[in-house]
Amino acid sequence: MQDLQVQCFVKRNYHPAFTSDTMPRLLYVSRRLFSDRAHPRLLHAHPDFVEVLLVEEGSARFLIGETAYDVQAGDLLIFNSGVVHDELSNTPFASSCIAVGGLRLPGLRENALAAEDASPVYPVGEELPDLRTLYQLIYRYLSEDRPDCEVFCHRLMLALLDRALTISGSVSLRAPANPEPASLGKQVQDYIDRHYSEPLTLQQIGQALHVSPYYLAHVFKEASGYSPRQYLLRRRIGEAQNLLISTDLPISRIAEMVGYDTQNYFDQQFSKHTGMAPRKFRQSFQAGGREGPAGGE
């Protein structure tokens, strides 16, 4: 005969990861459905918050920093603030993502959930259904604007972050798809990230780094999968996507901010790389009822 009442006691002392002095803030949640019609987010970074993305279905290939990773359903991706990331493949996948600001953890810089030298990709194993439920609850309550949903979703975010800390600290780091990133490749990436809004040529990068333009292009291609020119274009469009989602700036001003002399040429490049015009891209997020930036998927 089964017991009619069962209690589970806390067996160990514990210390909460977050206190009133280190309380993070949920900024947004986003979902991506399993569809080959989803428009990818190109090269971009978030300077003041961290994103935590759960791959729920399918598989994909991401560039995170200067390293490429093959990810699949059940992988948790951590994008620390300031880390450039990009989708390298066009295969359909489903994911959920939260953005968290004001994150302060011992031993890590502000708005970082993983160490700088750690892998940003972690398999969650049997925790996938529970994590998926946390993401879905946050999304449902915020999208339906239920009473006091912000407070409830804040608590769900803390639960999700606690699980992410446990998962990232208790599993073996996954080997990256490109395990030998070149130091010169990293230098090229950093230089483009700092100067993408300026007129930039391969010769200028070579002069700044004191290396042959042809050699640095070869090394960078081997490390990232992109030529320097491709990376520059995707970096500009990715930052434009951020600005279109998170600001009300005129499109002409956004074009200038990411390095384009004319809005017409910017419109052409944006449509070519994302499959829709800048104005339509902005409207697609407004129509979805989302405020602020979208997820990093």
Side-chain angles (χ1 to χ4, degrees), residues 9-75:
F9 291 90
V10 174
K11 298 179 180 179
R12 293 175 290 273
N13 291 329
Y14 66 94
H15 301 280
F18 306 107
T19 66
S20 58
D21 296 327
T22 61
M23 189 60 64
R25 184 176 182 83
L26 177 65
L27 301 179
Y28 63 79
V29 60
S30 65
R31 295 187 65 197
R32 174 177 178 146
L33 301 181
F34 189 84
S35 171
D36 55 7
R37 294 177 298 174
H39 297 280
R41 291 296 310 277
L42 274 60
L43 278 164
H44 67 288
H46 305 290
D48 52 3
F49 59 85
V50 58
E51 285 185 323
V52 187
L53 183 146
L54 177 68
V55 181
E56 299 181 35
E57 294 182 69
S59 61
R61 187 174 172 88
F62 276 79
L63 180 71
I64 307 174
E66 74 276 16
T67 307
Y69 297 84
D70 292 312
V71 302
Q72 59 189 2
D75 280 343

Side-chain angles (χ1 to χ4, degrees), residues 11-149:
K11 298 179 180 179
R12 293 175 290 273
N13 291 329
Y14 66 94
H15 301 280
F18 306 107
T19 66
S20 58
D21 296 327
T22 61
M23 189 60 64
R25 184 176 182 83
L26 177 65
L27 301 179
Y28 63 79
V29 60
S30 65
R31 295 187 65 197
R32 174 177 178 146
L33 301 181
F34 189 84
S35 171
D36 55 7
R37 294 177 298 174
H39 297 280
R41 291 296 310 277
L42 274 60
L43 278 164
H44 67 288
H46 305 290
D48 52 3
F49 59 85
V50 58
E51 285 185 323
V52 187
L53 183 146
L54 177 68
V55 181
E56 299 181 35
E57 294 182 69
S59 61
R61 187 174 172 88
F62 276 79
L63 180 71
I64 307 174
E66 74 276 16
T67 307
Y69 297 84
D70 292 312
V71 302
Q72 59 189 2
D75 280 343
L76 193 72
L77 281 60
I78 296 175
F79 303 123
N80 287 341
S81 64
V83 174
V84 178
H85 46 287
D86 187 17
E87 294 176 28
L88 295 177
S89 59
N90 294 320
T91 56
F93 67 94
S95 63
S96 294
C97 179
I98 60 168
V100 180
L103 187 62
R104 301 177 184 88
L105 291 167
L108 297 175
R109 62 175 174 83
E110 186 170 358
N111 289 317
L113 191 61
E116 302 300 315
D117 58 350
S119 168
V121 180
Y122 301 92
V124 304
E126 63 184 11
E127 298 207 32
L128 176 59
D130 294 337
L131 290 176
R132 182 188 288 126
T133 298
L134 287 173
Y135 276 104
Q136 290 175 350
L137 283 171
I138 295 173
Y139 183 85
R140 187 195 314 158
Y141 272 69
L142 288 179
S143 63
E144 295 176 0
D145 197 21
R146 297 191 184 187
D148 294 324
C149 61

Side-chain angles (χ1 to χ4, degrees), residues 40-278:
R41 291 296 310 277
L42 274 60
L43 278 164
H44 67 288
H46 305 290
D48 52 3
F49 59 85
V50 58
E51 285 185 323
V52 187
L53 183 146
L54 177 68
V55 181
E56 299 181 35
E57 294 182 69
S59 61
R61 187 174 172 88
F62 276 79
L63 180 71
I64 307 174
E66 74 276 16
T67 307
Y69 297 84
D70 292 312
V71 302
Q72 59 189 2
D75 280 343
L76 193 72
L77 281 60
I78 296 175
F79 303 123
N80 287 341
S81 64
V83 174
V84 178
H85 46 287
D86 187 17
E87 294 176 28
L88 295 177
S89 59
N90 294 320
T91 56
F93 67 94
S95 63
S96 294
C97 179
I98 60 168
V100 180
L103 187 62
R104 301 177 184 88
L105 291 167
L108 297 175
R109 62 175 174 83
E110 186 170 358
N111 289 317
L113 191 61
E116 302 300 315
D117 58 350
S119 168
V121 180
Y122 301 92
V124 304
E126 63 184 11
E127 298 207 32
L128 176 59
D130 294 337
L131 290 176
R132 182 188 288 126
T133 298
L134 287 173
Y135 276 104
Q136 290 175 350
L137 283 171
I138 295 173
Y139 183 85
R140 187 195 314 158
Y141 272 69
L142 288 179
S143 63
E144 295 176 0
D145 197 21
R146 297 191 184 187
D148 294 324
C149 61
E150 293 81 6
V151 175
F152 180 60
C153 291
H154 171 79
R155 292 167 181 158
L156 292 174
M157 171 204 69
L158 294 179
L160 203 158
L161 290 178
D162 274 326
R163 298 318 302 156
L165 285 171
T166 299
I167 291 167
S168 62
S170 62
V171 298
S172 299
L173 300 182
R174 170 169 295 194
N178 180 5
E180 299 179 357
S183 59
L184 176 59
K186 175 61 174 171
Q187 292 178 46
V188 175
Q189 181 187 35
D190 289 344
Y191 189 86
I192 296 176
D193 289 340
R194 293 194 304 270
H195 300 280
Y196 68 84
S197 62
E198 307 168 11
L200 200 58
T201 66
L202 194 61
Q203 288 69 28
Q204 289 173 317
I205 300 174
Q207 290 176 0
L209 300 181
H210 307 290
V211 67
S212 162
Y214 303 102
Y215 178 66
L216 74 82
H218 171 74
V219 171
F220 187 74
K221 177 76 171 181
E222 286 292 316
S224 70
Y226 293 125
S227 69
R229 174 176 169 78
Q230 289 172 326
Y231 185 90
L232 174 62
L233 289 173
R234 293 181 71 87
R235 190 71 170 91
R236 287 174 170 173
I237 298 301
E239 288 302 324
Q241 287 177 317
N242 270 350
L243 293 169
L244 287 166
I245 295 169
S246 62
T247 75
D248 294 323
L249 290 170
I251 293 176
S252 58
R253 175 59 182 145
I254 291 176
E256 294 175 5
M257 292 173 67
V258 298
Y260 288 94
D261 294 331
T262 68
Q263 183 180 334
N264 285 339
Y265 185 60
F266 167 69
D267 288 348
Q268 293 173 9
Q269 291 298 308
F270 191 95
S271 299
K272 176 180 177 181
H273 286 84
T274 68
M276 62 171 63

